[in-house]
Each structure stands twice: as C-alpha cells, then as structure tokens.
C-alpha cells in the first residue's frame, strides 16, 4: 500500500475512532469533535477547544447541513482546508 493510501486509511480510521464513542457512529458530536481536535490536531486547535465559544464557532462553521454534528464529508473539508493552509507555510523545493 502506498503512503498516500496509508494516509487515507489513517484519516478514515481516525474519524471513526472518535465518531464511535456515542450512539451515532457516522458523525462527530460536539464532545467527540472537541476530543478529536484536541488529541489529533492539538497544535492547530488545542487552545481553542478549551474556549466553549470558539468550539461552538468551529462546530457551526464545519456543520454545513446544520444538523448539530460533523459528518465525514464535513470533516474531510476541514482537513483539506488545514492542509492547504499548512502547504502555504512549507517552502517549495526546486
């Protein structure tokens, strides 16, 4: 399996690791989202997750269908945006 395929599997596994802690195993609740952001993306979200207002804003911004949860597509959109922001900071190789 290529590194890219391994990375894709890791993203899928990570989402379902946290989505599986409550009754709905296909979405992230606010608590599950907070745990995922803190444990897996702490460098980017760690401090924000301790601020209830900031966490509510993150959830609202991610929750494009306004169901109060983050589904896999909404999660992938977030990861894509973060990856694009990180890519801008990495010096390009010649």
């Amino acid at each position: 399996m290529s590194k890219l395929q391994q990375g894709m599997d890791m993203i899928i596994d990570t989402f379902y690791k946290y989505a599986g802690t409550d009754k709905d195993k296909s979405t992230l609740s606010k608590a599950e989202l907070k745990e995922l952001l803190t444990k897996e993306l702490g460098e980017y979200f760690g401090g924000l997750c301790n601020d209830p207002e900031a966490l509510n804003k993150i959830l609202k911004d991610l929750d494009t269908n306004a169901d109060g949860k983050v589904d896999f597509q909404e999660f992938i959109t977030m990861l894509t945006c973060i990856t694009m922001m990180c890519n801008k900071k990495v010096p390009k190789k010649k």
Side-chain angles (χ1 to χ4, degrees):
M1 188 181 299
S2 73
K3 286 186 179 188
L4 183 57
Q5 289 170 317
Q6 290 172 7
M8 290 167 54
D9 281 353
M10 188 181 315
I11 289 168
I12 293 166
D13 290 346
T14 300
F15 177 84
Y16 288 107
K17 171 184 173 183
Y18 292 93
T21 63
D22 72 2
K23 60 185 175 191
D24 186 351
K25 299 190 183 311
S26 64
T27 61
L28 295 167
S29 66
K30 182 178 174 181
E32 292 167 334
L33 177 64
K34 177 182 178 180
E35 185 176 3
L36 185 151
L37 294 177
T38 302
K39 290 183 177 177
E40 304 292 339
L41 296 168
E43 274 186 50
Y44 303 112
F45 290 101
L48 291 175
C49 290
N50 294 324
D51 177 353
E53 211 171 289
L55 184 60
N56 285 336
K57 177 156 177 34
I58 292 168
L59 178 61
K60 183 180 176 197
D61 290 345
L62 292 176
D63 184 18
T64 57
N65 64 358
D67 66 353
K69 304 174 216 164
V70 175
D71 63 27
F72 188 74
Q73 183 174 341
E74 293 164 336
F75 173 70
I76 288 298
T77 300
M78 175 196 68
L79 286 183
T80 301
C81 292
I82 293 169
T83 303
M84 289 168 51
M85 290 183 331
C86 293
N87 184 52
K88 290 180 182 178
K89 293 182 179 183
V90 176
K92 305 293 183 235
K93 294 183 180 180
K94 294 181 181 182

